[in-house]
Amino acid sequence: ALAQVELDDETWEAGITYSQPDAYYCENINFEPASAINMLYGTFVLWMGWYAFNCGSTGGSTHGLEVESAHVAITTTLAAGAALNIGLIWSGIRRNGLFDITDASAACLGGLVAITPGCAVVEQSVSIIIGVIGAIAVLLALELLEKLQIDDPCGASAVHGGGGIVGILCVGFFHSGTKHSKIKCLDDPNDSWTYAPVCSPDCSGGDFDPRGLFYGGGAELLWVQFYGLGAILAWSAVLTIVTVAVIDKALGLRMTVREELDGPDISEHGYSCMAAYDVLTYPAPPAPHSTNPRTAPTHPQLA
């Protein structure tokens, strides 16, 4: 059962300690978003910003690049829209007809992430499929994080991890080899743009075909995407572990339990952005017997 109490400094200091300070008992708790409106607003801000770096990655909007830039804008839009609808359908099925903005927003961002690697090299109709795949990958990743009890309030690892992985691999399946997939040969004395599949990866004029598996190009490009994905995962893992270890030693990563319960707005900024939430709600802890100095006292009613 949940216990709901107001904690002030006196009752906090007079309280007792948790038996397991680093573990919260969060079963059967539905963590609602602080503001569904802000969540949806933030999603659309990101969606609009996606055009800047997807279309902007073409390198220009003149001298023929405007066609490619427009193509990228269309694939980006179709993938995001398809993913958003998948999020609504997903939540409607799993929540007895209720449409959850959280699922819809996460799915939409997953579609945007998934289409980014191949936005210039896949057909517009295929971008819808990639958006659907990206949305499903993100929604499943969110479910996995919840089952593993991994704290990811914004779903960032699910969105960028799940959507990014399937997006990279989708290039190996759906690269169309059309005029939108231009490759610039750095060794070309004329410094000109050529169209796939003329250039090989090393610009040696070999027979490398950049088309995806579903477009007759074989598995060669798919293996390249697998190798690239492995390199990205390895680099990210090593760099993250080193960075987190340094920060933990220098500054510390974990807040105190009191700060976590109050919310970091108080400890980091001096005020709460959720002023109406002045009552803390959390499960009753187990029997107190810990002497760990990092434990936080709790109101006697929770004992």
Side-chain angles (χ1 to χ4, degrees), residues 18 20-25 254:
Y18 288 81
Q20 295 183 16
D22 295 331
Y24 293 109
Y25 296 84
R254 187 69 180 266

Side-chain angles (χ1 to χ4, degrees), residues 23-298:
Y24 293 109
Y25 296 84
C26 300
E27 291 84 355
N28 303 319
I29 298 180
N30 184 19
F31 293 99
E32 299 294 339
S35 173
I37 294 176
N38 286 344
M39 178 181 293
L40 193 60
Y41 172 72
T43 300
F44 281 111
V45 168
L46 286 170
W47 189 343
M48 294 301 103
W50 231 275
Y51 295 112
F53 56 78
N54 271 11
C55 300
S57 294
T58 60
S61 57
T62 58
H63 303 293
L65 292 174
E66 66 274 8
V67 176
E68 187 172 12
S69 182
H71 175 83
V72 169
I74 294 172
T75 56
T76 300
T77 303
L78 292 175
L84 179 63
N85 280 281
I86 290 299
L88 292 174
I89 295 172
W90 174 282
S91 64
I93 293 174
R94 295 175 60 84
R95 304 177 190 276
N96 298 320
L98 298 177
F99 299 111
D100 188 357
I101 296 300
T102 303
D103 288 341
S105 297
C108 179
L109 296 178
L112 286 166
V113 172
I115 192 59
T116 297
C119 59
V121 299
V122 299
E123 294 181 349
Q124 295 169 8
S125 57
V126 172
S127 65
I128 298 175
I129 300 174
I130 295 177
V132 170
I133 295 173
I136 294 174
V138 168
L139 293 170
L140 291 176
L142 288 171
E143 293 286 336
L144 178 61
L145 289 176
E146 185 173 341
K147 289 184 181 297
L148 296 176
Q149 297 187 357
I150 296 176
D151 186 20
D152 185 7
C154 297
S157 59
V159 169
H160 294 278
I165 289 173
V166 298
I168 290 173
L169 297 180
C170 279
V171 174
F173 287 105
F174 297 111
H175 193 305
S176 62
T178 65
K179 65 179 180 180
H180 301 294
S181 54
K182 294 187 291 186
I183 301 175
K184 190 171 185 179
C185 286
L186 300 180
D187 294 339
D188 187 346
N190 297 322
D191 195 32
S192 62
W193 287 91
T194 56
Y195 297 122
V198 175
C199 280
S200 60
D202 59 359
C203 295
S204 61
D207 57 357
F208 175 77
D209 189 344
R211 292 178 299 171
L213 182 65
F214 295 157
Y215 283 79
E220 188 172 5
L221 179 60
L222 182 59
W223 283 118
V224 171
Q225 296 302 107
F226 267 113
Y227 295 147
L229 175 60
I232 292 171
L233 292 175
W235 169 259
S236 300
V238 172
L239 191 61
T240 299
I241 291 173
V242 172
T243 302
V244 168
V246 171
I247 294 175
D248 190 31
K249 293 296 183 182
L251 302 174
L253 290 174
R254 187 69 180 266
M255 295 180 176
T256 65
V257 178
R258 173 62 190 269
E259 289 173 334
E260 291 182 358
L261 291 174
D262 285 345
D265 292 337
I266 299 295
S267 61
E268 296 294 328
H269 306 290
Y271 62 89
S272 174
C273 66
M274 305 300 295
Y277 291 7
D278 56 356
V279 176
L280 297 176
T281 302
Y282 51 91
H289 60 265
S290 172
T291 58
N292 189 316
R294 292 185 59 188
T295 58
T298 174

